[in-house]
C-alpha cells in the first residue's frame, strides 16, 4: 500500500521552461514533505521541504506547493536547466521516518 | 564538511557469504537510517537508530539482516547468509534531531549476490 505516489515515471521539458513534478499522498499524519534529487551512482540530495501547515515554500528556482485538502504536492522548477536532469523523489515524514515515492525521471531538453 | 560515508561502494559476492556494509554518519547527527533501493520496491526503510539505539526495525526483511550502531560515528548492516534477491543498492542516511530536518544520504553500496 503506497502512501506516497508519483504517478509520472518520466517527464521531458525544454530548457528554460517550467518543470512541474507531482506527488500524491494518503496519510494525513505526515507533518513534512520533502523533495530529493538523485543523479546516477549518487545518493539522493535534499532539495526543498514544506511543513504541513504551509501551502508554499520557495527557494531560488524551486517552489513546492502543498494542497492538503487534495493530499497533493508539486515541485516547480523555473527556469529549467540541463543540470536539473535527474530523478526526483517526493518524500513525506511522520516523526523521524520518511516514506518515499517511486520517483520521476526529469529530462531537460537543450 | 564530510557527508555520510559508506563503504564499500560496490560489493560482489557469492550466495551464502556474509556481507557487511558500513556507514559513517555526519558528525552531530543523532539519527541514522538504512534504506534499500530496488526496481520493484523503490526506496524502502530497513531500520533507523536514534542516539545509537535501534528505534524501528520493522522494515528489516528477515532474520538474515541485522544492523548495529556501536557508537555515534559508525553503523553496520550485515546480511548472513546472503541470497541473490538481496542484490540492491543500500543507502545510509543521517539527520539531526528536529522535526522537518532533512535526511542526508551517502552515495550507497551497490550489492550483487551471485
Amino acid at each position: 500500500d503506497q502512501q506516497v505516489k508519483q504517478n509520472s515515471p518520466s517527464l521531458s521539458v525544454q530548457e528554460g521552461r517550467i518543470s512541474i513534478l507531482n506527488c500524491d499522498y494518503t496519510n494525513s499524519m505526515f507533518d513534512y514533505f520533502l523533495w530529493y534529487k538523485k543523479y546516477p551512482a549518487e545518493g539522493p540530495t535534499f532539495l526543498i521541504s514544506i511543513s504541513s501547515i504551509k501551502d508554499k515554500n520557495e527557494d531560488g528556482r524551486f517552489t513546492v506547493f502543498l494542497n492538503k485538502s487534495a493530499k497533493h504536492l508539486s515541485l516547480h522548477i523555473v527556469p529549467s536547466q540541463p543540470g536539473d536532469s535527474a530523478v526526483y523523489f517526493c518524500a513525506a515524514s511522520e516523526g523521524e521516518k520518511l516514506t518515499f515515492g517511486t520517483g520521476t525521471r526529469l529530462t531537460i531538453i537543450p | 564538511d564530510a557527508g555520510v560515508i559508506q563503504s564499500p561502494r560496490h560489493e560482489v559476492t557469492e550466495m551464502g557469504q556474509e556481507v557487511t556494509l558500513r556507514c559513517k554518519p555526519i558528525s552531530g547527527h543523532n539519527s541514522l537510517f538504512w534504506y534499500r533501493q530496488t526496481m520493484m520496491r523503490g526506496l524502502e526503510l530497513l531500520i533507523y537508530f536514534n542516539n545509537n539505539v535501534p528505534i524501528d526495525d520493522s522494515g528489516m526483511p528477515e532474520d538474515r539482516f541485522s544492523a548495529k550502531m556501536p557508537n555515534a560515528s559508525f553503523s553496520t548492516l550485515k546480511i548472513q547468509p546472503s541470497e541473490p534477491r538481496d542484490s540492491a543498492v543500500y543507502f545510509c542516511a543521517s539527520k539531526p534531531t528536529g522535526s522537518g530536518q532533512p535526511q542526508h544520504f551517502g552515495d550507497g553500496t551497490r550489492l550483487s549476490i551471485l
Side-chain angles (χ1 to χ4, degrees), chain A residues 93-98, chain B residues 31 33 35 48 50 95-99 103:
Chain A
S93 74
E94 187 175 4
E96 296 291 287
K97 291 173 63 170
L98 283 181
Chain B
S31 298
F33 305 81
Y35 291 87
Y48 84 93
N50 186 255
K95 73 180 285 290
T97 300
S99 187
Q103 294 181 18

Side-chain angles (χ1 to χ4, degrees), chain A residues 31-32 34 36 38 41-46 49 89 93 95-98 100-102, chain B residues 9 31 33 35 37 43 45 48 50 56 58 91 95 98-100 102-103 105-107:
Chain A
D31 53 0
Y32 276 87
L34 303 88
Y36 283 81
K38 187 181 180 306
E42 294 184 12
T45 302
F46 170 71
S49 64
F89 290 95
S93 74
E96 296 291 287
K97 291 173 63 170
L98 283 181
F100 282 85
T102 50
Chain B
R9 287 298 313 274
S31 298
F33 305 81
Y35 291 87
Q37 185 182 31
L43 255 173
L45 177 67
Y48 84 93
N50 186 255
D56 185 343
S58 59
F91 289 103
K95 73 180 285 290
S99 187
Q103 294 181 18
F105 283 76
D107 284 335

